[in-house]
Structures are given as structure tokens and as C-alpha cells.
């Protein structure tokens, strides 16, 4: 539908690709409504979206005026609607989203309405990249073995996705083994300027390419100048169905770059430095825009590396403006010449193309970094923002072993820290493992496998190591999981693949793998040694996440590093080493130091041309949707309503819409709730909704066994997100979570009140629900940080949790809670459960009613068993009026279903 165009901004742009309609921002400037030169790039994009989407209903004239009058120094708390161009999904989050759409169709069918009203109105790409696991490694056939196992494990899910791409319009699946969704997005799907045919318009409409994605690292595309970020699957589904994404006026931070990186410093070192800086600064929920003379010294993959880790900084997005380097990258990755012409002409016309003469925008605040000051580093062992200089690793590791657990250490005594374990290898020989020994070294994740500099550097370091006679110790599980098939081509063309393979870095698959917990099992003899001696074993990976319990249950220490350092630490076999002063190992002619094999910058640069061949990318992405024969052979139907199977352990109709009443009920107080979970700071969505292995002794494992599934066939929590029976039982079941209402325990257990029984959280929730008792969660700072997992909110609501009271929330999880009808409340500044003396044994009454307002003060009463009562105030973190409606309806999809069924 064409926009109302009440500001008269619609105009025609002529390019080599033809004529296009667009909404001309300069018209607003000419009319004195906006100062475009000082407006941050992000706000120009939001303003264009409002002009293009003005329809008198969801987007009205007042929204446009509000955006035009945006004050970067005082953004305010008003909301506005944003209509992105498209939606990106990966399969772990995409399957439950598609399950919800299928469930909505079933609900529409039960209501006697047309189920095909439930259909994406925006382009949706789902890339299957999260399902493969590193079962085979260190051998040439590993790639094929893992691919075969992946299809065997996930056949039912893939059949469901196959049905979805036939049953829904505007929905496409990129099959397995094409790459990581964010790298596919960067190298192929991202258009920078989007074109769309609209009814009633003589020419296609063009506008900035924007998106939301169901993975928090959707932000990687910001490196290409495409504004996008991760949202919950619930919000993404609403956007797919035509609902705008409602936002509070953003706080935008300017980040000025100057100088250039030193020759031996990588983009990984830079992003870990920036992440550390921004976490300290405090940018949760904010947008960061990069500018300054240092931009020209960063390649586009360098920019994408930084943009990727926006969630680790806490930011909504890290936007790099489109400039000449962007055009170079589009050319190098095989985009058509006419698209480049459209991008350059459109963005220059709109004031969205960055040059040295671009005026500095006005921001809420600024940060600055001289790239020359960045040094080689890692991050860990438990959080991505905890930067450790390379030369300080040994000292940091030694201190961390003894440091209390509350201070993110391991709390070992001197005697425990000196402990070792004997490894009994299958060939009859013995070895020794110590704290800090590296048992996983993986080149993996979207963050770095999009960057040719660090990948070629890893290959060259491997080449130099082999020449010196170095080998990787046999306790190290090595793997290379490229984010794109293009990586395989340019490593091969550079002649580096044989050297990586000589050190065990064979390609194991194309997907996220180790970074999301799909590292696969360690060899039995290694696992047995770690468990017997309770060792703090280590993983080193080129990823973006290293939270406890994520990478592998047996690697309690996990470090993020460049692919170059991943190979280096694989060779060293331990993180308990100073690589600046101690040798990696002994080669053919004696000790070899890291400096002896570090790749020369000139040598990396000489090979970059092989990674910038447009023909590689045209070949890889030419037939992206149908190049996997195994995928193509999957049988599926195109029926409008999915045929749910009662015996399925992967795909089940969720209960969200079953028995949904035609109208929402008024908001009522939450009375006499019990605490199901009480946790401290930095509890992640990994803790709330684990994506790794399913332990057999947990409620989820026991459920699968009862369904006839053998533990060897459990697959992972992530792969079973289409089954609410598994996921609800897995909520708060992370092996490392510490629930303070069950002191002295670790894992998914709680104390049931008033009985005092210590039970699995799932079983306690069933008791509370049977007795009609609502439950709440008490939490500390940054509750819900990490991946944008919708099941962290879905599982919470299905456990019967009505509210979460925290010191602060990570942006995506807060929105997800509201989107599932769970009330997020925030303690007042300086207050916490501890400062208020809350033990979690109390009953809680939350005083809300149908007049709930965004951000209002909400009184909470906590009554002890002895009758004593404490009353404290909280801030309602339902942040906008539309979110109040989501909460009133019990969730965003409930609201959408009611509206569509009544239209």
C-alpha cells in the first residue's frame, strides 16, 4: 500500500537500474522540519521508514513529526513505529517461530477463519546454521560425517521447515551447509538499498535495507551500513505479520575512531577492546554510531567484526555508515553493478553516504579510540567483556583459579589448584591433564569467520608452525567451522588448507558449532580425566560468547580469541602460559616462540586478493536455496494447516493459543506469589534457556526417555525448541545456574514453599500451578543478557512465572518477557533483593490494575511466613503503550490473533 505522503516527500530517482520512487528526506529539511546534517544516521533511517509507512493507522503524521524533532541530547521516552524491510532467522530460533505461525493457523482454523490470513507480509529468510555439531573432527571425512549425522538427528525439524517454505508466502529457507546466517546475510542477502514493488506505484519503491533478526548477532550486518538487530522470536513474528516494531526514542552514542591498527593487531583484538570499553561506559539498549578518520583504515569485515558483538557490549546496534569501502565490499562479493549504482546514488541523495566531509552528527554522548593503542588480547574466562592482554594471561589465569566464585573465579585452594589427572589413551599410553589445559580449540562463529585477514593469518601461522616442526597435543579437540563456503575456496586458493589440516583444523561443517554449544563430546578418556579430578579445563574459540556451561559442560574456562590465537593456543595446549615470553612448544630445532611463527602483515595482505574474488561469491551464492541435494530430497506437503503429530518429540503445537478467549481480560493484581527462582547478577539466557546438551537425569531428559528416545539421540535443547514439552522442562535447567532459594545447590533445582521440599524447578512449578499459586523470579543486574532466545521468555511463562523483579534487564529479554505476558519490574536505583532483606521465602503481592501505565511505579508487598511485611517500590518495565496492550492480552501474538480473527 502506498504511503499517504502527507509531507509530499515522494519523488523519482533515476539510476542505471531504472527509475524508482523514494521518500526524499531533504524535502523535510527544505520545509524546515529537520536538521539532516546533525541528525544521526540511525534517525534518518527511522525517519524514512515512517515516511514510507505512513498509513493513518499504525504510522501517523505525528510519528513523523516526532522523529523529525528528535533531540539527541534529550531523546525522551516517547515511542514510534519502525517498519524494517525484512526478517532474518536461524533455525534454532526460526523453528519455534514457524511453530508459532503454524499454531496461529491452527487457531484461526478452529475459529472458523481463513488460516492463510496468517502469512508473512515481509521477506523472511531462514538460514539453517545452528544444527550441526562437531561429532567428527581432525580428519578429512569429518565434514561429511557431521553433515550426515546432522540430517539424521534433525530430519523431523527439516521436514517441518520444508513444509513451511511451501505453505507460507515470502518465506525462504537457506539449506544446511551454506554458512552462518550473519555471514550469508553480509555476503549475499544484504542489499544496503532495498527495492520493493508496491501496488499502485508505477515504479518500485527503494529505501534503506533494514531488518530484525531472531539472533542477537543480527547486528553484524550493521558493518555493511544496514541497520538491524536481534529481537525475540515473538517480536519477529509480529513484524512478519505486518505489525510495526515499536521503539522508545533511542539513545545514540557516537564513537570516533582515529589512527590505524598496528601490523600484528587484528580486528578480534579491536572488538574485544571496544566491548570492554562499552560495557564499562554503559550502553545497554543504546545505538552506537562509528565515525571519524579511522574508519578508512578498517576494512568492511573489520567493521562487521565489531558490529557483530553489539550484544556483548549491551548495545542495540553498532552502525557503520555506508562509504567507499562499503561499495568496494559489495563489488568484491559479486553484487551487480546496477545495485552499486543504486546504493551510491540513493544514499548520497538521502544524506546517508559518509565521506571525509560529512559533518559530525549530534549524539547523546561520545567515545573515542585511537586504533594504534589496541594490543593483542583475549576475553574470558567467563564473560566476553572481560578483556585479558596476551602478556597477562598467565597471571590472570593463576589468580582466577584462587579467586572466589562470586568474583568470577574458581575458588580453588592451593592444593586443588595444583591438581592433575592421568589420561588413559586408547592405545595404552598415558598422559597428564592440568587446570587450564586446552581441550577445545575451535575456529568458529560469525564474529571472525567473515574476516579474511584473521583466517588467512591463522592459515599462515599454521604453515609456519608446521615448518618449525610443531604439533598440537593430542588432548586438544581442534575444529574449523567456516561461516561461508567462500572461506574454503580462498584458503584452498592460498595454499593454506593442508597446513591447517596438518594441525587438526579440518573443516567440520558450515555453521555456528562450538560458539553456541555444539562443540560435540570430548573423547571419553579426556572427559573421564577432567571429571575424575574436577579440573578447570579450557576452550579457546574465535567466537563471541563464553558464558559458563555454554561451550561444553566440561570446559569451565572459555576464552574468546582471534583465529590466529586459537591455533597458537592449540599448539601450546594450555592457557596457563605467557605466549610473549614462553615457548609454544619444541620444534625440530628446539623451543619455538609465538613471535617466531606469527604471520607477517605483508604476507597476509599478499593473499587478500584471493578472498576478494567476486567469482567465488557468485559461485557460492548463485543458487543458494537449492544447492543441497539432501535437503532437496526431503518430502513435504504444502497444506495450509500443519498436521501435528502426537508422537513427535521435535515438533508439537504449543499451548499458547489453545482455548484463547475472544477478548482480553482486565489487568489484575498478582497476589500471594511464591519465588520460583532467585539469582544474582549477569544471569544469561543461556542460564534460563540452555541450548546445549540435554542431561539424561533432568526433567527434559526423563521426558525424552519416557517417549522412547535414547540418550544418544537426545540432540540438543536448541534443536528441540519446536517442542514446548522439552523446552519448559529445560527452562532454568542450566547445570551452572545457582538458585539462591535452594542454597548449596547448582543446576535447575528450587525449594518449594511452604513444604520446604527441594525439587527440580519444573516439578515445583507443577505443584504451584496445581495449587493456583503464581510465581515470580528475583534477579540482579543485566538479567537476561546474551542470546535473544524467545524460549527464555516462553519457558518462563509456561512455568507459571507472572513477574520478574530485577535490578536491570538486557533489552531483548525484557521485551520478550512482555511479549509473553510476563511483567518485568525493576528495583529502584541502589536497591536489590539483598538490600531489602528479601530471602525468597516470602509471598509477594504486586499491585497493578487495568490502568497500568508505561514506566509507572508499582508497589510490591513481601510477606514473611511469620506475618512480617516489607513494602518496596519498583519501576514497571513495560516501556510503551503498545507493550501495555501486549501485556494485557497475555502476549503480542495473542493480540495479533485476536485482531486478525476479528478483521
Amino acid at each position: 500500500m502506498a504511503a499517504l505522503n502527507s509531507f509530499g516527500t515522494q519523488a523519482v530517482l533515476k539510476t542505471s537500474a531504472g527509475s524508482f520512487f523514494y521518500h526524499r528526506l531533504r524535502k523535510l529539511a527544505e520545509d524546515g522540519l529537520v536538521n539532516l546534517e546533525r541528525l544521526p544516521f540511525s534517525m534518518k533511517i527511522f525517519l524514512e521508514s515512517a515516511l514510507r509507512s505512513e498509513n493513518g493507522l499504525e504510522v501517523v503524521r505525528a510519528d513523523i513529526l516526532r522523529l523529525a524533532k528528535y533531540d539527541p541530547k534529550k531523546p525522551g521516552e516517547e515511542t514510534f513505529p519502525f517498519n524494517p524491510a525484512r526478517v532474518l532467522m536461524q533455525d534454532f530460533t526460526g523453528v519455534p517461530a514457524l511453530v508459532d505461525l503454524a499454531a496461529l493457523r491452527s487457531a484461526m482454523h478452529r475459529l472458523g477463519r481463513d488460516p492463510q490470513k496468517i502469512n508473512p507480509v515481509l521477506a523472511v529468510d531462514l538460514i539453517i546454521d545452528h544444527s550441526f555439531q562437531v561429532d567428527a573432527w581432525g580428519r578429512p571425512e569429518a565434514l561429511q560425517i557431521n553433515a550426515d549425522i546432522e540430517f539424521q538427528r534433525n530430519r523431523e525439524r527439516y521436514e517441518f521447515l520444508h513444509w513451511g517454505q511451501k505453505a507460507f508466502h515470502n518465506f525462504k529457507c537457506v539449506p544446511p551447509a551454506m554458512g552462518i546466517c550473519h555471514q550469508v546475510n553480509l555476503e549475499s542477502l544484504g542489499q544496503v538499498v532495498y527495492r520493493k514493488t508496491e501496488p499502485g506505484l508505477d515504479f518500485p519503491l527503494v529505501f534503506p535495507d533494514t531488518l530484525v533478526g531472531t539472533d542477537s548477532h543480527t547486528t553484524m550486518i550493521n558493518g555493511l551500513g544496514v541497520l538491524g538487530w536481534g529481537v525475540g522470536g515473538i517480536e519477529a513474528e509480529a513484524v512478519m505479520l505486518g505489525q510495526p516494531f515499536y521503539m522508545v526514542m533511542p539513545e545514540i552514542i557516537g564513537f570516533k575512531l582515529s589512527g590505524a591498527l598496528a601490523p600484528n593487531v587484528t580486528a578480534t583484538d579491536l572488538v574485544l577492546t571496544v566491548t570492554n570499553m562499552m560495557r564499562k561506559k554503559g550502553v545497554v539498549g543504546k545505538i552506537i554510531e562509528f565515525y571519524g578518520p579511522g574508519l578508512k583504515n578498517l576494512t568492511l569485515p573489520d567493521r562487521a567484526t565489531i558490529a557483530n558483538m553489539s550484544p556483548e557490549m549491551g548495545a542495540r546496534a553498532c552502525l557503520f555508515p555506508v562509504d567507499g569501502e562499503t561499495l568496494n565490499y559489495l563489488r568484491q562479493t559479486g553484487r551487480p553493478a546496477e545495485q552499486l549504482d543504486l546504493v551510491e546514488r540513493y544514499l548520497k541523495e538521502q544524506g546517508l553516504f559518509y565521506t571525509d566531509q560529512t559533518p559530525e552528527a549530534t549524539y547523546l554522548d561520545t567515545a573515542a579510540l585511537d586504533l594504534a593503542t589496541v594490543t593483542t588480547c583475549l576475553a574470558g574466562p567467563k564473560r566476553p567483556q572481560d578483556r585479558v592482554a596476551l602478556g597477562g594471561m598467565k597471571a590472570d589465569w593463576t589468580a582466577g583459579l584462587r579467586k572466589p566464585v562470586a568474583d568470577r573465579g574458581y575458588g580453588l585452594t592451593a592444593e586443588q589448584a595444583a591438581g592433575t589427572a592421568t589420561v588413559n589413551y586408547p592405545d595404552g599410553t598415558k598422559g597428564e591433564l592440568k587446570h587450564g589445559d586446552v581441550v577445545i580449540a575451535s575456529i568458529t562463529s560469525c564474529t571472525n569467520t567473515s574476516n579474511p585477514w584473521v583466517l588467512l593469518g591463522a592459515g599462515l601461522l599454521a604453515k609456519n608452525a608446521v615448518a618449525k616442526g610443531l604439533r598440537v597435543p593430542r588432548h586438544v579437540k581442534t575444529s574449523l567451522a567456516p561461516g561461508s563456503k567462500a572461506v574454503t575456496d580462498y584458503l584452498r586458493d592460498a595454499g593454506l588448507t593442508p597446513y591447517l589440516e596438518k594441525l587438526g583444523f579440518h573443516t567440520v561443517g558450515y555453521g555456528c558449532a562450538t560458539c553456541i554449544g555444539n562443540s560435540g563430546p570430548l573423547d571419553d578418556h579426556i572427559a573421564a580425566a577432567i571429571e575424575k579430578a574436577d579440573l578447570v579445563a579450557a576452550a579457546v574459540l574465535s567466537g563471541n560468547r563464553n558464558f559458563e556451561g555454554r561451550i561444553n559442560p566440561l570446559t569451565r574456562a572459555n576464552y574468546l580469541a582471534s583465529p590466529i590465537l586459537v591455533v597458537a593456543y592449540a599448539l601450546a595446549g594450555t592457557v596457563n602460559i605467557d605466549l610473549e615470553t614462553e615457548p609454544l612448544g619444541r620444534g625440530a630445532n628446539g623451543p619455538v616462540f609465538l613471535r617466531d611463527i606469527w604471520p607477517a602483515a605483508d604476507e597476509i595482505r599478499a593473499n587478500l586478493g584471493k578472498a576478494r574474488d567476486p567469482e567465488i561469491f557468485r559461485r557460492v551464492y548463485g543458487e543458494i536455496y537449492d544447492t543441497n541435494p539432501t535437503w532437496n530430497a526431503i518430502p513435504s506437503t504444502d497444506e495450509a494447516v500443519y498436521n501435528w503429530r502426537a508422537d513427535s518429540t521435535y515438533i508439537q503445537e504449543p499451548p499458547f493459543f489453545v482455548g484463547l478467549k475472544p477478548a482480553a481480560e482486565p489487568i489484575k493484581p498478582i497476589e500471594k506469589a511464591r519465588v520460583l527462582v532467585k539469582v544474582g547478577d549477569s544471569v544469561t539466557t543461556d542460564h534460563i534457556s540452555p541450548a546445549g546438551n540435554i542431561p539424561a537425569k533432568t526433567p527434559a531428559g526423563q521426558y525424552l526417555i519416557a517417549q522412547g528416545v535414547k540418550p544418544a539421540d537426545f540432540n540438543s535443547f536448541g534443536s528441540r525448541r519446536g517442542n514446548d514439552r522439552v523446552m519448559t522442562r529445560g527452562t532454568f535447567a542450566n547445570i551452572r545456574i545457582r538458585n539462591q532459594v535452594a542454597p548449596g545447590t547448582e543446576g535447575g533445582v528450587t525449594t518449594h514453599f511452604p513444604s520446604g521440599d527441594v525439587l527440580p524447578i519444573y516439578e515445583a512449578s507443577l505443584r504451584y500451578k496445581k495449587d493456583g499459586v503464581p510465581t515470580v523470579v528475583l534477579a540482579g543486574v543485566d538479567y537476561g543478557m546474551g542470546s535473544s532466545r524467545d524460549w527464555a521468555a516462553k519457558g518462563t511463562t509456561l512455568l507459571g512465572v507472572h513477574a520478574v523483579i530485577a535490578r536491570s534487564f538486557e533489552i531483548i529479554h525484557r521485551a520478550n518477557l512482555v511479549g509473553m505476558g510476563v511483567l518485568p519490574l525493576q528495583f529502584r536505583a541502589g536497591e536489590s533483593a539483598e538490600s531489602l532483606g528479601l530471602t525468597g521465602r516470602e509471598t509477594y503481592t504486586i499491585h497493578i490494575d487495568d490502568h497500568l501505565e508505561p514506566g509507572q511505579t508499582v508497589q510490591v508487598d513481601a510477606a514473611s511466613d511469620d506475618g512480617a511485611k516489607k513494602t518496596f517500590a519498583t519501576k514497571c518495565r513495560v516501556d510503551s503503550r503498545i507493550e501495555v496492550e501486549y501485556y494485557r492480552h497475555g502476549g503480542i501474538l495473542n493480540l495479533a490473533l485476536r485482531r486478525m480473527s476479528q478483521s
Side-chain angles (χ1 to χ4, degrees):
M1 185 177 93
L4 292 178
N5 194 32
S6 67
F7 291 88
T9 55
Q10 188 170 292
V12 175
L13 178 71
K14 294 183 178 181
T15 75
S16 62
S19 296
F20 300 94
F21 279 123
Y22 73 110
H23 284 273
R24 186 169 168 265
L25 292 174
R26 294 188 195 277
K27 176 66 165 58
L28 295 180
E30 291 163 2
D31 292 343
L33 296 175
V34 66
N35 182 353
L36 282 180
E37 287 193 343
R38 298 299 180 187
L39 196 66
F41 277 45
S42 307
M43 293 309 301
K44 295 178 189 178
I45 293 170
F46 293 138
L47 183 55
E48 187 283 334
S49 168
L51 289 169
R52 167 173 44 89
S53 307
E54 183 190 7
N55 60 6
L57 297 172
E58 289 92 355
V59 185
V60 298
R61 185 179 173 88
D63 294 319
I64 297 167
L65 289 172
R66 208 160 41 242
L67 287 164
K69 294 176 181 177
Y70 172 82
D71 181 354
K73 295 294 184 183
K74 297 178 181 179
E77 296 187 356
E78 294 180 298
T79 60
F80 68 94
F82 171 50
N83 286 277
R86 55 193 178 92
V87 175
L88 181 74
M89 293 183 170
Q90 39 94 332
D91 55 309
F92 269 15
T93 50
V95 165
L98 190 62
V99 166
D100 285 349
L101 291 183
L104 284 168
R105 279 197 170 182
S106 295
M108 286 288 277
H109 181 68
R110 287 192 293 268
L111 291 169
R113 303 291 186 180
D114 180 7
Q116 297 208 51
K117 280 188 175 182
I118 307 296
N119 203 75
V121 298
L122 300 181
V124 180
D125 283 288
L126 186 150
I127 291 91
I128 301 174
D129 65 348
H130 274 51
S131 294
F132 104 82
Q133 170 174 299
V134 187
D135 290 288
W137 57 279
R139 45 183 165 153
E141 62 272 21
L143 176 63
Q144 188 60 53
I145 292 172
N146 290 329
D148 291 343
I149 294 173
E150 176 186 349
F151 264 90
Q152 292 166 12
R153 282 193 181 121
N154 297 286
R155 177 113 192 156
E156 195 175 325
R157 297 170 65 240
Y158 291 175
E159 288 175 355
F160 177 67
L161 291 174
H162 222 269
W163 166 80
Q165 70 177 2
K166 291 181 179 179
F168 291 97
H169 302 301
N170 298 322
F171 178 80
K172 292 182 178 180
C173 279
V174 175
M178 285 306 302
I180 297 173
C181 62
H182 310 305
Q183 194 160 342
V184 173
N185 195 22
L186 190 75
E187 295 177 351
S188 177
L189 300 179
Q191 300 300 303
V192 184
V193 172
Y194 200 83
R195 57 179 92 182
K196 185 177 183 181
T197 300
E198 293 277 11
L201 293 182
D202 295 332
F203 307 122
L205 185 67
V206 292
F207 46 93
D209 184 9
T210 53
L211 71 153
V212 293
T214 58
D215 189 283
S216 53
H217 295 103
T218 301
T219 54
M220 185 170 179
I221 199 67
N222 297 170
L224 195 65
V226 174
L227 184 58
W229 58 85
V231 298
I234 307 109
E235 293 170 300
E237 292 161 42
V239 170
M240 287 160 54
L241 295 172
Q243 296 290 312
F245 181 86
Y246 289 92
M247 296 178 58
V248 176
M249 287 290 179
E251 295 180 323
I252 305 177
I253 306 295
F255 197 125
K256 189 172 186 176
L257 297 172
S258 61
L261 294 174
N264 289 349
V265 173
T266 68
T268 314
D269 304 319
L270 173 57
V271 71
L272 297 180
T273 300
V274 172
T275 299
N276 179 266
M277 286 178 61
M278 292 295 96
R279 270 290 172 185
K280 288 179 179 177
K281 188 174 182 66
V283 294
V284 172
K286 298 177 174 62
I287 294 174
I288 302 171
E289 290 193 5
F290 288 84
Y291 67 99
L295 273 182
K296 63 178 177 289
N297 296 319
L298 292 180
T299 66
L300 197 129
D302 291 345
R303 301 173 187 187
T305 301
I306 297 169
N308 178 280
M309 288 187 71
S310 301
E312 284 68 39
M313 301 174 205
R316 184 187 292 272
C318 286
L319 183 66
F320 285 82
V322 176
D323 61 2
E325 170 58 19
T326 316
L327 296 179
N328 289 338
Y329 183 80
L330 292 175
R331 191 175 297 110
Q332 292 159 8
T333 48
R335 267 69 163 212
E338 64 177 27
Q339 181 67 15
L340 270 70
D341 182 54
L342 173 61
V343 167
E344 184 171 10
R345 297 192 61 186
Y346 172 79
L347 294 181
K348 284 183 174 178
E349 170 59 34
Q350 293 284 54
L352 286 166
F353 195 92
Y354 186 86
T355 69
D356 290 342
Q357 287 72 47
T358 298
E360 186 173 318
T362 303
Y363 298 106
L364 174 72
D365 194 6
T366 59
L369 177 66
D370 180 353
L371 299 175
T373 64
V374 178
T375 58
T376 305
C377 60
L378 299 89
K382 297 184 179 183
R383 301 191 307 178
Q385 65 263 40
D386 294 334
R387 178 185 178 276
V388 186
L390 179 65
M393 271 288 289
K394 185 170 185 176
D396 189 80
W397 171 256
T398 303
L401 279 179
R402 302 292 306 280
K403 196 162 55 174
V405 172
D407 296 331
R408 292 187 296 280
Y410 296 97
L412 303 187
T413 64
E415 183 181 1
Q416 290 171 329
T420 63
T422 299
V423 182
N424 297 302
Y425 286 100
D427 62 4
T429 60
K430 295 184 181 296
E432 185 181 73
L433 278 183
K434 303 177 294 299
H435 294 293
D437 278 356
V438 175
V439 294
I440 292 177
S442 184
I443 300 174
T444 181
S445 161
C446 45
T447 314
N448 289 288
T449 56
S450 67
N451 197 319
W453 183 278
V454 291
L455 287 165
L456 290 166
L460 287 166
L461 185 135
K463 180 180 179 181
N464 296 340
V466 170
K468 293 283 188 181
L470 291 179
R471 295 292 182 268
V472 173
R474 56 179 174 170
H475 62 258
V476 184
K477 180 175 183 176
T478 48
S479 59
L480 168 60
S484 161
K485 286 190 171 181
V487 175
T488 296
D489 285 5
Y490 67 68
L491 286 176
R492 179 198 62 222
D493 293 348
L496 298 176
T497 303
Y499 302 104
L500 286 163
E501 293 183 346
K502 191 82 172 177
L503 298 182
F505 286 94
H506 296 76
T507 297
V508 293
Y510 298 92
C512 298
T514 301
C515 191
I516 58 160
N518 284 357
S519 57
L522 299 178
D523 285 337
D524 290 344
H525 49 278
I526 299 295
I530 293 171
E531 290 179 312
K532 185 176 182 180
D534 196 22
L535 292 181
V536 183
V540 182
L541 64 151
S542 62
N544 44 42
R545 292 279 162 82
N546 57 345
F547 303 128
E548 283 188 281
R550 178 185 179 96
I551 305 306
N552 188 287
L554 297 178
T555 59
R556 292 164 62 190
N558 302 283
Y559 286 93
L560 308 180
S562 71
I564 304 174
L565 285 180
V566 169
V567 178
Y569 276 98
L571 291 163
T574 180
V575 296
N576 187 20
I577 185 173
D578 182 350
L579 290 183
E580 290 188 346
T581 61
E582 297 180 75
L584 283 164
R586 291 192 64 84
N589 298 310
V592 179
F593 291 82
L594 180 60
R595 59 180 176 268
D596 298 329
I597 60 172
W598 192 270
D602 288 345
E603 195 172 4
I604 298 176
R605 196 172 292 112
N607 282 283
L608 279 177
K610 297 177 177 64
R612 294 171 173 172
D613 180 0
E615 288 306 314
I616 287 179
F617 296 92
R618 293 190 186 108
R619 181 172 64 252
V620 167
Y621 293 111
E623 297 176 340
I624 186 175
Y625 296 103
D626 53 15
T627 54
N628 188 317
T630 312
W631 169 263
N632 295 339
I634 293 174
S636 62
T637 69
D638 59 356
E639 295 171 339
V641 179
Y642 186 68
N643 182 25
W644 305 99
R645 287 171 40 196
D647 63 344
S648 174
T649 59
Y650 276 97
I651 306 295
Q652 286 289 338
E653 182 177 8
F656 307 128
F657 317 119
V658 176
L660 186 72
K661 295 179 180 179
E665 296 183 353
I667 296 172
K668 299 175 182 177
I670 300 169
E671 297 182 322
K672 296 183 179 180
R674 286 288 186 177
V675 175
L676 185 66
V677 175
K678 180 176 182 286
V679 288
D681 296 343
S682 301
V683 167
T684 73
T685 49
D686 281 15
H687 291 112
I688 305 168
S689 179
N693 296 329
I694 302 174
K697 294 182 179 179
T698 62
Q702 290 299 298
Y703 163 80
L704 289 172
I705 290 171
Q707 304 305 307
V709 180
K710 297 177 181 178
D713 298 323
F714 277 3
N715 211 333
S716 65
F717 275 112
S719 67
R720 292 191 181 270
R721 285 182 182 174
N723 186 344
D724 64 279
R725 282 77 161 166
V726 173
M727 297 308 296
T728 306
R729 287 169 169 84
T731 304
F732 293 111
N734 185 290
I735 59 173
R736 298 298 178 206
I737 195 169
R738 295 176 180 87
N739 187 359
Q740 295 171 12
V741 293
T745 66
E746 189 174 46
V749 295
T750 193
T751 301
H752 173 268
F753 299 111
S755 71
D757 295 340
V758 177
L759 303 167
I761 287 172
Y762 174 73
E763 292 181 18
S765 76
L766 293 181
R767 281 201 197 179
Y768 284 129
K769 285 194 283 187
K770 181 181 178 181
D771 295 338
V773 176
T775 55
V776 298
V777 171
L778 300 180
V781 175
D782 290 340
Y783 181 74
M785 65 187 295
S787 301
S788 57
R789 293 190 185 154
D790 54 347
W791 265 109
K794 288 179 177 178
T796 297
T797 193
L798 289 180
L799 285 175
V801 174
H802 286 232
V804 176
I805 311 173
R807 291 183 64 191
S808 67
F809 294 88
E810 199 78 348
I811 181 172
I812 298 174
H813 186 60
R814 183 210 63 81
N816 280 352
L817 289 172
V818 177
M820 287 308 302
V822 178
L823 181 69
L825 298 175
Q826 190 163 315
F827 289 109
R828 291 187 298 189
E831 292 187 345
S832 65
E834 289 70 31
S835 72
L836 294 168
L838 304 176
T839 65
R841 303 178 64 89
E842 307 87 354
T843 59
Y844 289 74
T845 296
I846 299 171
H847 296 279
I848 54 172
D849 57 30
D850 206 40
H851 301 291
L852 186 69
E853 292 287 334
Q856 78 173 55
T857 298
V858 172
Q859 179 182 310
V860 181
D861 297 334
S864 300
D865 292 339
D866 61 5
K869 187 171 76 171
K870 296 175 182 176
T871 297
F872 57 96
T874 64
K875 180 180 180 180
C876 173
R877 287 304 312 276
V878 179
D879 287 352
S880 65
R881 293 194 180 280
I882 189 63
E883 285 194 341
V884 172
E885 287 304 302
Y886 298 159
Y887 178 69
R888 176 178 285 111
H889 282 262
I892 187 171
L893 295 181
N894 296 355
L895 172 62
L897 177 60
R898 286 179 172 128
R899 284 181 174 177
M900 286 184 287
S901 66
Q902 294 166 8
S903 65

